[in-house]
Amino acid sequence: MTTPKTKDQLIAGLQTSFERVLAYYEGPRAASPVKVDQWDARDTLAHFIFWHDSSTWAIVSATIGGPIWRNPGNADETNAAAVLSHEEESIPELLQQLRWSQARFVRATRNAPDLEAIIAQRPTGESVTVRARLELLTNHWSSHLQALEAASG
């Protein structure tokens, strides 16, 4: 049986993924017109911001005893809305927002008293904990980054 990762280990893993994403978007490959499925690199960046912000809200709400966050739709619907809400923003503007989102998310996570607290509910009714959200975001970012890197050569 493996010992679950500590809060600091989970945050460090997310920070590593975050830094790799920044390096990609600040590098020359981000400007190349790549698409993975229906999303281009800019779209992916926009939806990173949405998921970070909604996750932060969910963690803070749970920490203060408020309601759990209910995901409003499936991933494609939610991502499409996130992309549309950022349609006029440049990659540098989105990167600044992402930096702020990361700082808020890390602060909220550090202040969360319980990694096993339920913070969100998916449309399927499945509950999501702080730990699960940290693990999901870390893996999600890494997965998107690998796909973007592969598509951009």
Side-chain angles (χ1 to χ4, degrees), residues 78-138:
T78 306
N79 289 341
V83 169
L84 189 58
S85 72
H86 292 284
E87 70 181 336
E88 299 295 323
E89 298 157 11
S90 68
I91 286 181
E93 289 169 329
L94 293 171
L95 285 172
Q96 183 57 51
Q97 290 179 56
L98 188 63
R99 286 181 181 93
W100 293 331
S101 291
Q102 173 72 357
R104 286 188 299 265
F105 182 82
V106 168
R107 188 171 45 254
T109 302
R110 288 201 188 287
N111 291 333
D114 181 7
L115 287 176
E116 307 313 323
I118 294 172
I119 61 165
Q121 185 177 47
R122 294 190 173 114
T124 60
E126 180 184 1
S127 295
V128 180
T129 64
V130 176
R131 177 184 301 282
R133 180 55 77 193
L134 272 161
E135 291 169 343
L136 178 91
L137 289 175
T138 301

Side-chain angles (χ1 to χ4, degrees), residues 2-134:
T2 61
T3 303
K5 290 182 180 178
T6 67
K7 187 186 294 186
D8 286 340
Q9 290 170 322
L10 291 167
I11 291 171
L14 180 64
Q15 187 64 29
T16 297
S17 291
F18 171 74
E19 289 168 6
R20 288 184 60 231
V21 164
L22 285 181
Y24 173 85
Y25 281 97
E26 291 172 338
R29 290 190 291 182
S32 56
V34 299
K35 217 169 197 180
V36 177
D37 298 322
Q38 77 253 38
W39 310 112
D40 66 20
R42 192 190 164 291
D43 296 340
T44 301
L45 185 56
H47 94 249
F48 281 161
I49 294 166
F50 170 80
W51 289 108
H52 242 44
D53 287 345
S54 63
S55 297
T56 299
W57 186 94
I59 292 168
V60 171
S61 182
T63 298
I64 63 172
I68 64 169
W69 186 77
R70 297 191 193 290
N71 186 336
N74 69 39
D76 285 340
E77 293 165 341
T78 306
N79 289 341
V83 169
L84 189 58
S85 72
H86 292 284
E87 70 181 336
E88 299 295 323
E89 298 157 11
S90 68
I91 286 181
E93 289 169 329
L94 293 171
L95 285 172
Q96 183 57 51
Q97 290 179 56
L98 188 63
R99 286 181 181 93
W100 293 331
S101 291
Q102 173 72 357
R104 286 188 299 265
F105 182 82
V106 168
R107 188 171 45 254
T109 302
R110 288 201 188 287
N111 291 333
D114 181 7
L115 287 176
E116 307 313 323
I118 294 172
I119 61 165
Q121 185 177 47
R122 294 190 173 114
T124 60
E126 180 184 1
S127 295
V128 180
T129 64
V130 176
R131 177 184 301 282
R133 180 55 77 193
L134 272 161

